[in-house]
Amino acid sequence: MGAVNLAIIHYPVLDKRGDVVSTSINNLEIHDVARSCMTYGVDLCYIVTPLDRQRAIATQLVDHWRSGYGRQYNPDRAEALEKISIKKSLAEVTQELNGSQPVLIGTSSKRRENSIGYSELARWIPQDRRSFLLLFGTGWGLPPEIVSSCERTLLPIAGPGEYNHLSLRVAIGIILDRLFGDRKEANAQ
Amino acid sequence: MGAVNLAIIHYPVLDKRGDVVSTSINNLEIHDVARSCMTYGVDLCYIVTPLDRQRAIATQLVDHWRSGYGRQYNPDRAEALEKISIKKSLAEVTQELNGSQPVLIGTSSKRRENSIGYSELARWIPQDRRSFLLLFGTGWGLPPEIVSSCERTLLPIAGPGEYNHLSLRVAIGIILDRLFGDRKEANAQ
């Protein structure tokens, strides 16, 4: 079984009109996703934005908690933030992972032709020597050129109704739980 | 089957030393939880704090998105925020729900004597005419007096490792997915 990594894309992503835009990095997103990665054994979460100032702010945040007073005050948070790596582009991420030739898995709030279910992917990952890179689009999601570069796309998360506007932070937690959560532990007896 | 409601408690909750404290309401928490409640068919999410100023800010935020420009800009967000109700105390919540005599279910990052698994609770809820109120503690969790008032406590969420410091926003999404997520949809074929 290879490593499992995530990439959260801030550019290029779609806005509500379907135009390609850049979204802002968000402090809580970094903390929440880092803690989810720790909980579910994800190797690294890449936060991707081409904007220098955004990367500088994110790096400063991560450094604050990883060292100095932040680390002393809350070591669990420091440990989780070791999971975060700030990158300029998806190309930079895949270049770093290139030795492991990662399988690209997209995510979407819509069902796609190459959709794959959670249990199918959960069975596949431990059987493959390659690493996996799960891609998440902020804003209104990943643009077609990224979706089409993915080998498969995870099925959208469905609740009992029609509404499917989960926050990305929460959706990432749910997806990791469906793939790697300890379901045997999920019963008291 | 009765209604399912959530309550997010900002006071009384524990801090890292185990002292009882009050935590701040957080904008993103409200948005994220509202969207998770919409997705999984939860009736209402009560946000509980005795601090007048905190309730005023939260009410202002909710009103901004539920009416006027916020609603026009993002109607999905407005719809989700209909799920949020700001309350002064847990007593005020249970008083409002008293006609339905809700079953109180606690949540915790530790296993308790009265723990219940996710599939067991998922089977119970539709078979009971009473409503259910799931309680979530911010900070370092619910204090003993609230935990002991609960009929059962949900098992902690476990990943493959030992780390269990998920953010509350994310944990609520995962718990709702385990209880109400459409798992049949979770496979592509």
Side-chain angles (χ1 to χ4, degrees), chain B residues 57-96:
Chain B
I57 293 170
T59 303
Q60 201 181 350
L61 166 88
V62 169
D63 288 348
H64 169 76
W65 289 104
R66 279 209 285 230
S67 53
Y69 179 69
R71 170 158 221 117
Q72 187 186 328
Y73 177 74
N74 195 332
D76 296 326
R77 189 168 286 191
E79 191 185 0
L81 287 174
E82 304 282 350
K83 296 289 180 190
I84 300 294
S85 174
I86 317 287
K87 294 287 177 193
K88 202 180 277 193
S89 64
L90 182 53
E92 208 178 73
V93 174
T94 49
Q95 202 176 344
E96 180 167 309

Side-chain angles (χ1 to χ4, degrees), chain A residues 16 32 35 40 73 76 111 117-119 155 157-159 163 165 167 169 177-178 182-183 185-187, chain B residues 16 32 35 40 73 76 111 117-119 155 157-158 163 165 167 169 177-178 182-183 185-187:
Chain A
K16 60 189 275 192
D32 288 3
R35 292 156 80 180
Y40 293 104
Y73 177 76
D76 296 326
R111 183 183 279 263
Y118 294 85
S119 48
L155 277 178
I157 296 169
Y163 190 93
H165 305 279
S167 93
R169 292 173 288 284
D177 186 63
R178 287 185 175 196
D182 187 349
R183 302 259 159 202
E185 270 272 276
N187 289 302
Chain B
K16 62 189 271 191
D32 288 3
R35 291 156 80 180
Y40 293 104
Y73 177 74
D76 296 326
R111 183 183 279 262
Y118 294 85
S119 47
L155 278 177
I157 297 169
Y163 189 92
H165 305 280
S167 94
R169 293 172 288 284
D177 186 62
R178 287 186 174 194
D182 187 350
R183 303 253 157 207
E185 270 272 276
N187 289 301

Side-chain angles (χ1 to χ4, degrees), chain A residues 29-46:
Chain A
E29 168 191 299
I30 294 181
H31 284 296
D32 288 3
V33 171
R35 292 156 80 180
S36 297
C37 287
M38 276 299 293
T39 302
Y40 293 104
V42 168
D43 288 72
L44 275 179
C45 177
Y46 297 98

Side-chain angles (χ1 to χ4, degrees), chain A:
Chain A
M1 176 172 169
V4 175
N5 299 288
L6 314 183
I8 299 182
I9 311 295
H10 286 273
Y11 174 88
V13 290
L14 303 179
D15 69 3
K16 60 189 275 192
R17 288 183 304 271
D19 294 335
V20 170
V21 293
S22 180
T23 62
S24 295
I25 291 186
N26 165 319
N27 276 5
L28 282 178
E29 168 191 299
I30 294 181
H31 284 296
D32 288 3
V33 171
R35 292 156 80 180
S36 297
C37 287
M38 276 299 293
T39 302
Y40 293 104
V42 168
D43 288 72
L44 275 179
C45 177
Y46 297 98
I47 309 276
V48 177
T49 176
L51 303 177
D52 294 338
R53 186 72 191 121
Q54 287 272 311
R55 286 204 311 286
I57 293 170
T59 304
Q60 201 180 347
L61 167 87
V62 169
D63 287 348
H64 169 75
W65 288 104
R66 279 208 287 228
S67 53
Y69 180 69
R71 170 157 222 117
Q72 186 185 328
Y73 177 76
N74 194 334
D76 296 326
R77 190 168 285 191
E79 191 185 0
L81 287 173
E82 305 283 349
K83 296 290 179 186
I84 301 293
S85 176
I86 318 286
K87 294 287 177 191
K88 202 180 276 193
S89 64
L90 182 54
E92 208 179 73
V93 174
T94 49
Q95 202 175 345
E96 180 167 309
L97 296 173
N98 212 23
S100 64
Q101 295 280 356
V103 181
L104 297 189
I105 304 287
T107 56
S108 174
S109 61
K110 297 192 194 80
R111 183 183 279 263
R112 309 268 179 183
E113 279 190 11
N114 68 352
S115 280
I116 182 169
Y118 294 85
S119 48
E120 189 181 347
L121 181 58
R123 285 191 303 271
W124 177 12
I125 290 171
Q127 291 168 4
D128 204 307
R129 285 187 182 195
R130 293 175 296 173
S131 74
F132 283 74
L133 180 63
L134 276 59
L135 299 177
F136 297 90
T138 56
W140 268 253
L142 297 168
E145 68 266 28
I146 293 188
V147 171
S148 64
S149 74
C150 292
E151 202 164 317
R152 305 293 295 271
T153 303
L154 260 175
L155 277 178
I157 296 169
E162 293 299 312
Y163 190 93
N164 70 341
H165 305 279
L166 285 170
S167 93
L168 182 62
R169 292 173 288 284
V170 174
I172 289 174
I174 292 170
I175 287 171
L176 294 179
D177 186 63
R178 287 185 175 196
L179 294 175
F180 308 114
D182 187 349
R183 302 259 159 202
K184 289 191 298 297
E185 270 272 276
N187 289 302
Q189 281 88 31

